[in-house]
Amino acid sequence: MVGYGPNKGLVPKLCERLFQAIRENQDTRQCQVFFSMLEIYNEQVVDLLSRGSRAPGGLRVREEQQRGFYVEALRTVPCDSATQVEQLMEQGTRTRTTAATNMNANSSRSHMLIILQLKQIFSKESITKQSNINLVDLAGSERQRSSGSEADRLKEGTAINLSLTTLGNVISSLADVAVGRKVVHIPYRDSVLTKLLQSALGGNSRTVMIATLSPADICYEESLSTLRYAERAKRIQNRAVVNESPTERLVKELKAENARLLQRLSRLGQEGRRANDETKELRQLLTHNELQIRAIQTLWEQHLQEALKDWEQQYANITQERRMMQMHPYILNINEDAQLSGVVKLFIEEGERHIGLCDSSPRSISIRGLGIQERHAVFRNEQRRVTVTPLAGSKVIVNGDTVFQTTELQHLDRLILGSNSTYLFIGYPSERGGEDWSRYDYDYFQSELAAAEGIHLGESGAGSSHTDPSLLAVFYDYVKLMPMVAEANQMSQELNKGVQFKLEIKNLALSDSKGHDLQKEIVVRVTSLGSKQVWMWSKAKFVNRKFLMEDAYQQGQVENNGDNRIEGLSTAASARDKDPFWDPVEPVLLGTAHLWLQSLAFRIPLEEQLEVLGSEGTEEAVLQAQLIPCTSTGFPMGEDDILIDPSELLGRRLDFQLVLEQCCGLRWIRETRNRGVQIGFRLFNCIQPLFSPAVWHNVNPLLDHRAHFASLHTSQRLLDYLQSSAVVLELWGLQEGCTDLTSSLEGVRMTTEGIFIMEEAGPTDTALVDSPELGLSARALQQDLEQLRSVNASLRKENQSLREQLNAARNGAEGVRGRSLRPSCDAEFARSLKVFYHSMTSVRGQLQRLRRHRPSEESDLVGLRLFVDEQNRLLRDFSEQLEQSVSTLKQDVAAIVRRKRERSGIWS
């Protein structure tokens, strides 16, 4: 509608053509054009041409029988050229920028309405025609599926979607009327937008709607919906007629009355009467009417002269601004909407200047926005050096880093004042070169902030092309949400909510049961500073809630005083339900640990101390857990039951127990004692998670939870799972007011003794499907299984005979001495492997600790030296353990080989 730079929009092009037509027809008519510009944000009307203080709640929309709906006190400025319209639009953009600074409301979330009132005066015919041209730039609709809107957004509704939905309902109702359907009510009054456009949509008007579509295939449904929207608008039938101006009616009535008065005067003269009093009265009426006619005709010239004075003042201000730009340094506003960037320039003249909410004065700079204090900072311009000094309680960020003391500014430094008032510092003209300032856009500021917090993608270049797309998406989400989180924290502080918001990257350091990285996404950690309660909000939920927070902040729904503060759990539940800052308390996923199942394939018990890592790699606790192979009755197996080849488990029963002993060093409970924890886990094809009993108020709680699992007929699939997967142990944090997590046993197979069944039947016990191809595959697998069973049976017989030969050798049967040596050596070798496997478990744990050992992001030089020393110690321990395990295995194998050579020389 407005355009950007050399690409002029619809409004400037329309005005140029309009004034060109006025000049071409100047001989037959006199045209008067009045310009108004307003914005509708959150159902509030803002006059963009008003230079006075903005009333809270915006301008009022009134209704009059003849005029219909109109905006009270809306400024209307006469224009006589397209250049003046462009100047007014620039003035409106400046006002729009100032309003956007308060809540960072960019153009995509507000409707802009430009009203051109055109009045044509035909002098020869004594006819006046008038019309209003409403040029509307609608906000973009936000589809629930693409924007991720959740229940809060759908229930409460936002101002954007509310007005667009109402507009769609009005268009649908008018389209139904056009095709002859009976419509009881057309909902013009449901939104401010449809109120102001009532005459343009269904009244005495001609209406054009331009529907913009995205060429992207992912926007197919949205584009189709837009086309349907436009199709409904095409069916509306309006009957436009020429408007008769009330002024024209008044002029006609005055002229008719003057004609009657002249006739009476002429009759009095013809009759020769000397009615001096009556003649004097008639002449006074005639003079009064002529004055009124002359006043109406000169009203346009007076308005135009007043507007010319405003334009001259504005031109003088622009000239003064350009002159100041060539003399002094200044800060330039940067907005999320590129059209609103670079509009506000705040000059830093020599001396000291206070910046903040303070009134404009020669020694102060007035700005507004979230987090801006009455006296926010001090700029000093001395000896061509500009410095900024934050005042107590204010937030000032320079180039991504928060500053607390006097900092010298360099050309093209980036400043953020308060929550999200972003400015680019422009130095003295001598410091300005040919740099491209356009690269310092809004995204650059937020990316710099994210990099200061440790969230970045590295330097751009050849290496950046290999960036993981999922990490790239998370990075942009993080950058996009940073200013919104800052605004939410500021609103919480000003409304005394006692709630803190913090961005986190979910699954940044976590993996699944196979060890593969989990999908990463942005979440917002919400913490009550009073009760220490914690909520984890998804990106979509936070965005939806922030809209509601802005409504509460702007409309004054929540008072900012000590009596009405909402702290902790002292407020009623009903107030909590309606407050967008709060939510029902739920368990929080603190972190996960991996317990690998490979030892179960060999029926070797495993005891581990596992580090429970949070989503960003922080250590939340240490968990002691065991995997114990057991019998069907739950008794642990001995060393003789250890398997060398895991395939021996095929077709046999496998029982084991998962034991959760103790959780140590719970950071969740160290923060506040009125909390608890639970452990959740899934195994194999278990759909629903199983949970341990909840434990409360203990930093080192004893869990003492034991779960028995069994496979009645071990398949190759389960065997592969055991050798390549881990059971992911999830640490859930409980807090006061939430219910414990319970194991859902729906779909879980269990025995009467409480044993969880992972696999019940083999291929022979399951019915074949009707598909011929699957039936052939199943029969082929069954034949292979039978062959494996026969081979397994023959091996068992051979093992039995070898055991008998070994016993005979021990009893002195020398004839079979050579044949009995091999099983004896195999048994010794199995024991050596078992010892080696146990030692490698501790080596593996040491390797995992090495991988997770990272320096702190805030470490100084001393901290880095301590980290290097600790890293060297861990490497030394890992090397010693690995060397000792391998050396022990080599010695055992060498001893076995030596004994074999001494006895029979069978193994060479």
Side-chain angles (χ1 to χ4, degrees), residues 25 141 182 227 285 416 464 468 518 530 579 742 829 844 894:
N25 297 275
S141 65
K182 183 178 180 181
L227 288 174
L285 287 174
I416 301 180
S464 61
D468 186 356
L518 293 172
D579 196 334
T742 57
F829 187 66
R844 182 179 182 178

Side-chain angles (χ1 to χ4, degrees), residues 485-622:
V485 170
E487 292 171 5
N489 279 321
Q490 189 62 41
M491 286 188 287
S492 171
Q493 180 180 349
E494 293 187 15
L495 296 176
N496 295 324
K497 291 294 182 180
V499 181
Q500 184 182 35
F501 301 88
K502 180 184 177 183
L503 277 177
E504 291 185 359
I505 302 179
K506 184 180 179 182
N507 301 329
L508 180 62
L510 302 186
S511 55
D512 60 9
S513 61
K514 297 287 186 182
H516 302 149
D517 290 343
L518 293 172
Q519 183 178 359
K520 299 166 181 58
E521 58 181 320
I522 297 296
V523 294
V524 179
R525 186 184 183 94
V526 186
T527 306
S528 169
L529 300 179
S531 64
K532 300 299 182 182
Q533 290 179 324
V534 176
W535 297 265
M536 301 301 292
W537 287 359
S538 65
K539 168 192 168 185
K541 185 171 185 176
F542 169 73
V543 172
N544 298 334
R545 287 298 182 88
K546 183 176 177 292
F547 285 121
L548 304 180
M549 295 175 196
E550 291 175 359
D551 291 341
Y553 182 83
Q554 290 186 340
Q555 298 173 8
Q557 293 176 351
V558 183
E559 297 181 3
N560 186 13
N561 56 63
D563 297 335
N564 292 331
R565 289 185 61 182
I566 302 178
E567 296 181 353
L569 294 173
S570 60
T571 316
S574 59
R576 276 282 182 89
D577 294 338
K578 298 177 181 179
D579 196 334
F581 289 85
W582 303 93
D583 238 1
V585 182
E586 296 178 349
V588 178
L589 179 61
L590 303 178
T592 62
H594 286 61
L595 183 61
W596 293 92
L597 305 172
Q598 188 177 10
S599 63
L600 292 177
F602 299 89
R603 289 206 298 218
I604 297 177
L606 177 66
E607 182 176 0
E608 286 274 24
Q609 285 192 350
L610 307 170
E611 294 182 8
V612 181
L613 298 180
S615 60
E616 295 187 341
T618 56
E619 182 178 329
E620 298 292 335
V622 175

Side-chain angles (χ1 to χ4, degrees), residues 849-860:
R849 282 191 287 274
L850 266 172
R851 288 176 176 175
R852 291 191 292 265
H853 188 237
R854 300 172 183 172
S856 173
E857 297 178 357
E858 302 177 354
S859 298
D860 52 5

Side-chain angles (χ1 to χ4, degrees), residues 165-186:
T165 301
T166 305
L167 180 60
N169 294 335
V170 169
I171 290 177
S172 297
S173 300
L174 292 173
D176 292 340
V177 172
V179 297
R181 296 179 184 173
K182 183 178 180 181
V183 177
V184 179
H185 172 66
I186 299 177

Side-chain angles (χ1 to χ4, degrees), residues 262-530:
L262 290 173
Q263 289 178 1
R264 290 183 60 183
L265 286 174
S266 62
R267 285 198 302 270
L268 288 174
Q270 292 174 1
E271 294 175 358
R273 300 179 181 175
R274 295 184 176 272
N276 294 331
D277 294 339
E278 187 176 358
T279 303
K280 185 179 180 180
E281 183 180 355
L282 291 175
R283 291 190 181 279
Q284 288 178 353
L285 287 174
L286 181 62
T287 303
H288 177 70
N289 290 343
E290 289 177 351
L291 289 175
Q292 279 190 301
I293 294 172
R294 191 177 299 111
I296 293 172
Q297 291 175 346
T298 58
L299 185 61
W300 160 256
E301 285 78 6
Q302 293 177 0
H303 284 315
L304 193 57
Q305 290 298 323
E306 294 175 0
L308 285 173
K309 291 181 182 179
D310 292 340
W311 292 326
E312 290 174 359
Q313 180 63 36
Q314 185 178 355
Y315 180 76
N317 294 337
I318 294 175
T319 305
Q320 174 70 10
E321 181 180 274
R322 291 174 179 172
R323 188 174 61 84
M324 296 282 286
M325 290 171 61
Q326 301 302 321
M327 296 175 57
H328 304 287
Y330 59 92
I331 56 177
L332 191 73
N333 81 296
I334 303 296
N335 193 273
E336 186 174 358
D337 185 356
Q339 299 184 35
L340 304 182
S341 295
V343 178
V344 176
K345 300 176 183 67
L346 304 176
F347 295 95
I348 306 173
E349 301 180 41
E350 291 187 0
E352 185 176 287
R353 295 287 186 277
H354 286 80
I355 189 169
L357 297 174
C358 50
D359 296 333
S360 297
S361 65
R363 309 301 300 176
S364 66
I365 303 173
S366 179
I367 64 172
R368 296 188 178 275
L370 274 175
I372 301 298
Q373 308 296 323
E374 187 71 21
R375 302 266 179 188
H376 196 86
V378 177
F379 284 96
R380 289 185 178 88
N381 184 357
E382 299 174 348
Q383 300 178 355
R384 301 183 69 84
R385 293 173 62 249
V386 179
T387 60
V388 59
T389 304
L391 298 180
S394 62
K395 181 179 179 181
V396 177
I397 298 176
V398 179
N399 298 336
D401 298 322
T402 304
V403 297
F404 302 96
Q405 55 189 359
T406 301
T407 304
E408 183 176 354
L409 298 179
Q410 304 295 331
H411 178 55
L412 297 183
D413 276 352
R414 283 76 60 198
L415 281 80
I416 301 180
L417 307 178
S419 297
N420 201 32
S421 298
T422 51
Y423 295 93
L424 182 66
F425 174 72
I426 308 299
Y428 276 97
S430 59
E431 302 174 4
R432 306 169 196 170
E435 307 97 338
D436 183 14
W437 299 356
S438 62
R439 72 187 186 98
Y440 297 105
D441 56 4
Y442 187 81
D443 291 339
Y444 188 96
F445 277 69
Q446 303 307 324
S447 300
E448 192 172 51
L449 269 181
E453 296 182 6
I455 308 298
H456 56 85
L457 294 177
E459 298 294 334
S460 60
S464 61
S465 61
H466 303 290
T467 303
D468 186 356
S470 62
L471 287 177
L472 190 64
V474 168
F475 174 77
Y476 285 124
D477 283 344
Y478 194 96
V479 169
K480 181 179 179 181
L481 290 180
M482 281 182 61
M484 301 179 70
V485 170
E487 292 171 5
N489 279 321
Q490 189 62 41
M491 286 188 287
S492 171
Q493 180 180 349
E494 293 187 15
L495 296 176
N496 295 324
K497 291 294 182 180
V499 181
Q500 184 182 35
F501 301 88
K502 180 184 177 183
L503 277 177
E504 291 185 359
I505 302 179
K506 184 180 179 182
N507 301 329
L508 180 62
L510 302 186
S511 55
D512 60 9
S513 61
K514 297 287 186 182
H516 302 149
D517 290 343
L518 293 172
Q519 183 178 359
K520 299 166 181 58
E521 58 181 320
I522 297 296
V523 294
V524 179
R525 186 184 183 94
V526 186
T527 306
S528 169
L529 300 179

Side-chain angles (χ1 to χ4, degrees), residues 684-751:
F684 195 43
N685 55 1
C686 182
I687 301 176
Q688 300 294 335
L690 305 175
F691 295 98
S692 65
V695 288
W696 292 78
H697 319 304
N698 195 339
V699 179
N700 305 305
L702 289 173
L703 302 175
D704 195 20
H705 179 67
R706 187 180 300 262
H708 188 161
F709 295 88
S711 171
L712 305 183
H713 194 286
T714 305
S715 66
Q716 185 64 44
R717 178 167 165 259
L718 176 60
L719 200 59
D720 294 340
Y721 170 78
L722 295 177
Q723 295 183 89
S724 62
S725 302
V727 54
V728 180
L729 303 173
E730 299 176 341
L731 178 63
W732 287 88
L734 306 177
Q735 40 195 336
E736 189 175 356
C738 73
T739 57
D740 297 350
L741 295 168
T742 57
S743 303
S744 175
L745 301 180
E746 181 180 356
V748 178
R749 292 165 292 182
M750 295 182 62
T751 65

